[in-house]
Amino acid sequence: MPIKYIPEKQIWVITTDLTDYVIGVDAEGILQHVYWGGKQPLLLDYMDLPKSIEHPGGGPIGPHRDEIMPWGGLRFTEPGIKLTFSDHIRDLHLIYDRHELLNSDQLVIYLKDTLKPLTVKLNYKVIKEYDLIERYVEIVNEGTEGLQIEQLMGAIWHLPVYPEYRLTYLAGLSRGETQVRTEWIQEGKKVLESRHGRTSHQFNPWFAIDFGQTTEEYGDVYFGAIAFSGNWKIVIEKTPYQTLQVATGFNDFDFGWTLKPGEILRSPICIGGFTAKGFGEASRQMHRYQKKYILRNGHKVRKVMYNSWYATEFDVTEEGQRRLAEQAAKLGVELFVVDDGWFGARDHDRAGLGDWFPNKRKFPKGLHPLIQHVKSLGMDFGIWVEPEMVNRDSDLYRSHPDWVYRFPGRRNTEQRNQLVLNLSRPDVEEYIFSMLDDLLSNHEIDYIKWDMNRSFSEPGWPEAPPEHHKEIWVRHVLGVYRILERLQRKHPHVAFESCSGGGARIDLGIMRYIDNVWPSDNTDPFDRLFIQEGYTYAYNTKAMLCWVTDVPDENNLRTTTLKYRFHSAMIGSLGIGLNLNKCSELELQECKKYIRQYKEIRPIIQDGDLYRILSPRSSYGAAFQYVSPDRSRSVLFVFRHRQQFRHPFPPIQLRGLDPEAVYLCRQLGIKRSGTSLMTRGISLDLRGDYASELIVFEKDINY
Ligand code: DGJ
């Protein structure tokens, strides 16, 4: 049983394969965190609740290890819940009421306020095989008056007391998303958050904490993530008493939610995990979990994609796309996606958003002839949309200027010349659903790239009663999720991509509704090694789209070989964004060769385990290795940043192989035991700057 209850002590032990998570009720009825970490041998190891620290002058001064930290009493750290009742009482005193065990892997603990008719449900779900716990909180208003929620976190995570804590997180910017950052945690708060209305380029809702010594392969790591695509917040807080708590959930900035009698507000699901096997294993646990439980169609092969954006930008025409499609098909591409520029008056980014019908000049007979052509070439057809947005210069905005977020009388700030449609409004949500439903019902579309190119500003909803205005941060996201869910129920064969001006919408909330993720508009293969490395800390690479595009790269004016560009892109779900009409026959042949090779090794990459052998943040290069689930095949990608003084590339020690088995590597002409490949390693003759190699290892079954 993954969840054990010890009634005489009122203690719950939530057990995964390698960890235990323990909570209990104290003498005052308060739910306290007891333990989280590697399994202890006996249940009696968990029977003492943590003691409060006593003030020398008497009385407790903290820290509370309250499991959800409602604001009230002597609690001074980041609250998990903060609200105001209709009679202006502003604190909460939650005590244990009862619990329920559902399907043996889910626990619901009911807490009740000592004065008011209010229930808080703490929900836990055990993901036993991956040592993860999903948590979320529900506030149920059982009274006859409304109340105002000001803060709601899905989880407060308490870590064991330790002299040193180190934080790893993902920070970035547009064209430089998900870069790994590491720093020591001192007393005080470190806040990672989004106030953008979307997940954001700047920070990603994921964290990892270790005690300062953990490496890729060894050591304790606590990690977690928030499944939400709007304003989220992670507060890492070390108290002067050396305890550490991490609060994860909705961002309370400009947030408010009026909970009417009988209503429930649910926090985002927050995921937490522990491993004693280093950052590499922490990531692999997340990858496996996502592929099995979260990612849409996690078991299906991701097709090799062509996307027109880098080749044509807004200059999309039926003829131009036909030519690109013909070239793409010859290379072995399986999915052809027409990006921005096919609809309304969309000749540039100043017009057209909102008018989702084919541009008559570019597609005189609509999209059907192109779709038929793409299908006749043996490829699936995909199309770009940005449903949450509108340009002022569009028929949609002209007919519904009140459909955008705005503060009356204030200028609406534009970003990329666009405004955000108010999806908190049910009529706007319905309109967007119907528009997309029509598009999918009337065309043989297999793939939707759902883009979202700006952050929110002037987030006003003047039509709504004032007490609901600050709900938009959550309502908008729930609206997006609902549209996706409805579309997918009606058009189950259509695959979806999450894109947000690059990688501003990468999180476990959107991942339930999408098959692919666009990590960044930066396709420079060298920069991508850093962006992709960070991405892999939190997210699986099956969904991680990586394209090969033209050189010199527009971001850094860097020129790299096709080989290097392909190798960097083959680490994830391969796509092509080259202007194929400008490629030489020799280049096309080379592309064809790499696409064929990718398809051969694709099952290892998409369904195998990832080992980050060498971080691109090292001075000399990077190496990523995939191992198939049965350990019979492995692919190694090695990148050299630059070479100086004829120095050889240092040996690479592989990981994750069967130590007893013998592996054959045709390229290097060697046969070696798994043990030897993982300890002595292999030496590669990798010469020059921006050099790369892809090497395949196969178990020699005859050995
Ligand atoms: C931003 C995306 O990240 C790009 O891939 C492309 O789709 C453009 N938007 C189109 O406007």
Side-chain angles (χ1 to χ4, degrees):
M1 287 286 279
I3 300 171
K4 292 185 202 79
Y5 177 55
I6 297 117
E8 57 285 9
K9 290 279 183 181
Q10 288 196 304
I11 280 181
W12 294 264
V13 180
I14 300 175
T15 299
T16 68
D17 282 352
L18 298 174
T19 71
D20 281 336
Y21 184 99
V22 186
I23 41 189
V25 180
D26 72 10
E28 290 166 38
I30 295 169
L31 193 66
Q32 298 273 358
H33 177 79
V34 179
Y35 174 81
W36 185 23
K39 269 186 196 310
Q40 305 293 300
L42 301 173
L43 276 182
L44 60 85
D45 295 324
Y46 299 130
M47 292 304 119
D48 329 297
L49 294 186
K51 301 216 169 27
S52 296
I53 294 174
E54 294 290 319
H55 193 282
I61 48 172
H64 276 274
R65 287 166 74 81
D66 197 299
E67 185 64 3
I68 194 54
M69 204 62 78
W71 187 72
L74 293 170
R75 292 180 184 83
F76 303 105
T77 53
E78 186 73 13
I81 306 173
K82 167 87 178 67
L83 50 78
T84 302
F85 292 100
S86 58
D87 57 3
H88 311 295
I89 288 185
R90 302 201 308 279
D91 71 351
L92 255 183
H93 281 277
L94 296 178
I95 53 162
Y96 173 70
D97 181 41
R98 65 194 168 94
H99 80 275
E100 256 172 22
L101 271 175
L102 310 170
N103 310 320
S104 86
D105 64 346
Q106 286 177 54
L107 169 66
V108 189
I109 297 185
Y110 292 76
L111 308 176
K112 277 198 180 297
D113 186 67
T114 47
L115 179 68
K116 298 284 187 179
L118 177 113
T119 294
V120 171
K121 290 164 72 179
L122 306 193
N123 297 270
Y124 297 82
K125 182 163 185 210
V126 191
I127 316 294
K128 194 174 163 297
E129 69 273 41
Y130 305 134
D131 299 314
L132 298 171
I133 299 175
E134 290 179 351
R135 288 176 64 181
Y136 65 91
V137 175
E138 289 166 296
I139 302 182
V140 188
N141 182 356
E142 287 161 336
T144 51
E145 305 280 337
L147 56 89
Q148 193 64 27
I149 300 172
E150 288 139 38
Q151 180 156 13
L152 176 57
M153 303 312 252
I156 304 282
W157 305 99
H158 296 276
L159 268 66
V161 177
Y162 218 81
E164 306 277 15
Y165 296 103
R166 191 172 57 171
L167 170 68
T168 302
Y169 61 102
L170 302 173
L173 68 169
S174 167
R175 313 227 171 188
E177 295 87 336
T178 55
Q179 294 184 52
V180 181
R181 299 283 182 262
T182 297
E183 66 192 36
W184 293 106
I185 303 172
Q186 305 293 356
E187 288 85 347
K189 290 180 180 183
K190 168 89 181 181
V191 178
L192 308 172
E193 65 172 354
S194 164
R195 295 182 179 193
H196 291 254
R198 54 177 167 173
T199 323
S200 99
H201 295 102
Q202 288 73 13
F203 299 98
N204 192 273
W206 172 90
F207 70 91
I209 293 172
D210 74 294
F211 302 136
Q213 322 233 306
T214 298
T215 64
E216 268 295 293
E217 278 176 276
Y218 305 105
D220 292 356
V221 194
Y222 292 83
F223 55 96
I226 307 172
F228 188 60
S229 316
N231 283 3
W232 55 270
K233 182 170 163 186
I234 297 179
V235 183
I236 300 110
E237 184 167 7
K238 183 174 168 183
T239 69
Y241 312 103
Q242 309 305 302
T243 59
L244 189 92
Q245 74 165 53
V246 184
T248 57
F250 287 141
N251 199 334
D252 57 320
F253 172 77
D254 195 44
F255 169 77
W257 192 282
T258 301
L259 200 65
K260 295 199 191 106
E263 285 185 347
I264 299 178
L265 180 64
R266 177 184 282 200
S267 77
I269 295 177
C270 297
I271 294 89
F274 168 80
T275 179
K277 296 181 191 163
F279 290 103
E281 188 61 13
S283 299
R284 284 186 291 279
Q285 284 171 208
M286 286 291 267
H287 299 169
R288 295 173 192 136
Y289 158 71
Q290 291 158 21
K291 285 194 265 186
K292 185 159 172 194
Y293 296 111
I294 306 291
L295 179 65
R296 185 161 179 261
N297 294 318
H299 59 287
K300 280 196 184 163
V301 171
R302 284 346 186 223
K303 297 187 172 173
V304 176
M305 160 190 306
Y306 182 83
N307 178 295
S308 65
W309 177 246
Y310 286 91
T312 65
E313 296 212 340
F314 297 103
D315 191 14
V316 172
T317 60
E318 183 182 328
E319 191 41 42
Q321 296 294 310
R322 273 175 180 265
R323 279 206 309 272
L324 285 171
E326 283 156 19
Q327 293 291 3
K330 281 193 227 157
L331 301 184
V333 167
E334 298 157 308
L335 162 65
F336 183 84
V337 182
V338 177
D339 209 280
D340 198 351
W342 60 270
F343 53 92
R346 192 72 170 165
D347 290 328
H348 40 66
D349 63 16
R350 297 184 301 283
L353 281 182
D355 300 340
W356 301 104
F357 46 83
N359 178 298
K360 289 237 160 54
R361 181 173 45 81
K362 299 177 179 184
F363 295 92
K365 294 188 179 146
L367 291 173
H368 291 287
L370 176 63
I371 296 179
Q372 289 319 317
H373 191 57
V374 167
K375 302 248 165 177
S376 74
L377 293 165
M379 296 183 290
D380 285 355
F381 180 82
I383 200 147
W384 179 95
V385 287
E386 192 176 359
E388 297 154 80
M389 299 291 160
V390 69
N391 286 119
R392 278 186 207 273
D393 185 0
S394 67
D395 292 345
L396 184 68
Y397 185 75
R398 278 183 284 272
S399 9
H400 297 286
D402 54 330
W403 277 14
V404 297
Y405 291 112
R406 66 200 192 285
F407 291 134
R410 290 235 185 250
R411 191 177 69 88
N412 246 12
T413 316
E414 293 183 12
Q415 200 179 9
R416 211 189 186 211
N417 310 301
Q418 60 197 56
L419 299 170
V420 187
L421 287 171
N422 181 349
L423 254 81
S424 307
R425 284 177 60 142
D427 54 347
V428 178
E429 179 185 329
E430 194 53 38
Y431 173 83
I432 293 175
F433 167 75
S434 320
M435 174 275 288
L436 290 168
D437 181 32
D438 286 351
L439 186 69
L440 292 176
S441 303
N442 298 327
H443 298 91
E444 275 187 77
I445 293 174
D446 308 289
Y447 187 93
I448 290 278
K449 173 174 174 178
W450 181 305
D451 204 346
M452 199 281 199
N453 277 298
R454 66 158 290 180
S455 298
F456 288 36
S457 62
E458 299 85 32
W461 179 11
E463 296 77 24
E467 66 271 22
H468 293 298
H469 284 190
K470 292 181 175 176
E471 294 172 5
I472 66 107
W473 301 110
V474 172
R475 286 194 183 275
H476 185 100
V477 179
L478 299 183
V480 170
Y481 291 164
R482 265 194 307 270
I483 294 171
L484 284 163
E485 199 175 316
R486 284 173 74 191
L487 288 172
Q488 293 172 3
R489 223 178 300 125
K490 210 161 161 201
H491 308 278
H493 72 282
V494 179
F496 283 77
E497 171 183 335
S498 170
C499 170
S500 185
R505 201 180 253 168
I506 310 170
D507 61 80
L508 294 174
I510 199 74
M511 202 173 273
R512 288 177 195 274
Y513 304 101
I514 50 111
D515 304 66
N516 280 334
V517 177
W518 181 235
S520 178
D521 274 351
N522 185 342
T523 53
D524 170 43
F526 175 64
D527 282 3
R528 264 298 182 118
L529 294 178
F530 296 74
I531 295 168
Q532 293 172 186
E533 180 203 34
Y535 182 105
T536 69
Y537 268 69
Y539 305 108
N540 72 88
T541 54
K542 183 167 206 169
M544 179 177 80
L545 284 170
C546 314
W547 302 344
V548 173
T549 53
D550 292 312
V551 286
D553 164 76
E554 57 163 7
N555 298 292
N556 306 309
L557 305 181
R558 185 177 287 121
T559 296
T560 48
T561 60
L562 260 183
K563 179 179 177 181
Y564 186 86
R565 278 177 274 160
F566 264 97
H567 286 169
S568 170
M570 283 157 99
I571 293 172
S573 176
L574 177 66
I576 311 293
L578 295 161
N579 187 343
L580 297 175
N581 294 328
K582 289 198 180 148
C583 291
S584 70
E585 195 47 42
L586 215 63
E587 286 168 330
L588 292 174
Q589 286 312 320
E590 207 181 334
C591 292
K592 194 170 170 177
K593 181 186 87 185
Y594 288 121
I595 291 173
R596 195 183 318 116
Q597 186 181 22
Y598 179 74
K599 287 182 183 168
E600 277 163 24
I601 57 177
R602 173 163 61 183
I604 317 174
I605 294 165
Q606 295 192 356
D607 299 322
D609 277 331
L610 172 69
Y611 292 83
R612 292 181 295 253
I613 306 271
L614 176 63
S615 166
R617 290 169 287 146
S618 76
S619 56
Y620 46 94
F624 298 89
Q625 182 200 352
Y626 283 98
V627 181
S628 63
D630 65 358
R631 297 192 292 178
S632 65
R633 295 177 79 203
S634 179
V635 192
L636 174 69
F637 295 92
V638 187
F639 303 87
R640 180 162 204 161
H641 297 344
R642 60 180 170 271
Q643 186 174 25
Q644 278 192 295
F645 316 120
R646 271 190 95 91
H647 282 163
F649 197 79
I652 301 274
Q653 283 140 354
L654 278 75
R655 295 192 202 136
L657 301 176
D658 176 355
E660 310 287 315
V662 166
Y663 289 85
L664 169 68
C665 174
R666 291 176 217 278
Q667 272 153 290
L668 301 178
I670 55 167
K671 252 187 201 182
R672 299 260 297 277
S673 68
T675 300
S676 167
L677 290 170
M678 292 191 288
T679 54
R680 191 180 140 207
I682 54 164
S683 298
L684 296 175
D685 187 23
L686 199 58
R687 304 287 310 270
D689 296 349
Y690 303 118
S692 67
E693 215 47 81
L694 183 170
I695 300 162
V696 180
F697 298 85
E698 282 165 311
K699 223 180 213 183
D700 186 346
I701 41 168
N702 301 318
Y703 208 80

